[in-house]
Amino acid sequence: SQTIHQWPATLVQPVGSPLSLECTVEGTSNPNLYWYRQAAGRGLQLLFYSVGIGQISSEVPQNLSASRPQDRQFILSSKKLLLSDSGFYLCAWSEGGQNIQYFGAGTRLSVL
Amino acid sequence: QKEVEQNSGPLSVPEGAIASLNCTYSDRVSQSFFWYRQYSGKSPELIMSIYSNGDKEDGRFTAQLNKASQYVSLLIRDSQPSDSATYLCAVNLDGGYQKVTFGTGTKLQVIP
């Protein structure tokens, strides 16, 4: 069966520090991968998605970037965090050709 | 602007009652519709998918889709306190298989 791993679960970072969040999927090949952000009390905002290695689509321009160095690995990065980057970051995957998305446990990021 | 809209609630129902959650969407080419449940502080989990007009039942849950009127609903029969959560509607607004758009969610409170 497929599983998705996302870490860390909680992260507290100072403003201006770098960020790297990692997500890996097991039990499937060539999945679509997604990064979402959910601000407190708000809906899910799609940040990036990828349909294959090295293929990244950006949905919202901001100081974040994403990379997919391996088939089942998706990384969210920032060179300098802003206060507004605080939120609940969720990684998700879907089978290619299907819309059903399955979420990781999420990372709660607090930028202070 | 392409949107998925939900009433934010909270929707309060007594234990054992039927909870009715609604979602409207903006694009007629949409083909895939999903309901996710999100407990406070947790990641969303898929509870229902529906692709054709009409009703789809799974245990206490029934999804209803009306493409002509562009709405999808979720009925929860015999509501339990454990059903208290935020319910997110998701739609592939562009009709494709790469991404979906989430509504902001409806908070459901089941009162014992």
Side-chain angles (χ1 to χ4, degrees):
Chain A
S1 64
Q2 301 89 355
T3 55
I4 179 169
H5 302 280
Q6 189 180 344
W7 66 93
T10 305
L11 190 60
V12 180
Q13 292 285 95
V15 170
S17 64
L19 173 72
S20 181
L21 301 180
E22 187 167 342
C23 171
T24 60
V25 181
E26 296 178 355
T28 187
S29 296
N30 196 31
N32 292 342
L33 296 171
Y34 306 85
W35 278 112
Y36 289 89
R37 178 170 62 201
Q38 188 175 37
R42 305 289 296 275
L44 292 174
Q45 179 187 34
L46 179 63
L47 301 175
F48 301 94
Y49 69 95
S50 171
V51 298
I53 296 175
Q55 300 178 59
I56 309 295
S57 296
S58 175
E59 290 293 298
V60 182
Q62 52 203 310
N63 70 321
L64 299 171
S65 62
S67 62
R68 184 171 177 173
Q70 300 180 40
D71 181 43
R72 290 168 289 177
Q73 183 185 30
F74 205 22
I75 298 172
L76 182 69
S77 303
S78 174
K79 293 183 179 178
K80 289 185 177 182
L81 285 168
L82 306 173
L83 287 174
S84 58
D85 291 324
S86 294
F88 191 36
Y89 286 82
L90 291 156
C91 181
W93 75 275
S94 68
E95 295 282 0
Q98 297 186 27
N99 289 121
I100 297 178
Q101 295 184 19
Y102 302 94
F103 287 84
T107 295
R108 193 160 303 280
L109 172 66
S110 297
V111 182
L112 305 177
Chain B
Q1 184 175 356
K2 297 188 175 184
E3 293 181 337
V4 177
E5 297 189 353
Q6 298 180 253
N7 189 317
S8 62
L11 172 65
S12 295
V13 299
E15 183 175 355
I18 296 175
S20 178
L21 306 165
N22 299 312
C23 171
T24 60
Y25 58 95
S26 60
D27 206 309
R28 289 188 176 275
V29 301
S30 305
Q31 298 294 325
S32 306
F33 307 85
F34 308 95
W35 284 99
Y36 287 80
R37 177 176 61 200
Q38 185 176 25
Y39 291 113
S40 180
K42 302 297 185 181
S43 61
E45 56 178 325
L46 179 73
I47 52 174
M48 290 286 288
S49 61
I50 187 167
Y51 304 96
S52 303
N53 279 327
D55 295 359
K56 179 181 178 183
E57 186 175 320
D58 184 0
R60 295 186 297 112
F61 299 98
T62 298
Q64 299 175 319
L65 175 61
N66 184 323
K67 290 186 178 180
S69 299
Q70 294 177 232
Y71 82 81
V72 56
S73 61
L74 180 70
L75 301 178
I76 306 175
R77 291 183 300 281
D78 188 24
S79 295
Q80 301 297 309
S82 58
D83 295 326
S84 297
T86 296
Y87 289 80
L88 303 171
C89 173
V91 180
N92 71 328
L93 290 177
D94 61 0
Y97 295 100
Q98 293 186 355
K99 60 181 181 178
V100 297
T101 300
F102 284 82
T104 54
T106 297
K107 186 173 183 179
L108 173 66
Q109 296 176 340
V110 180
I111 303 168

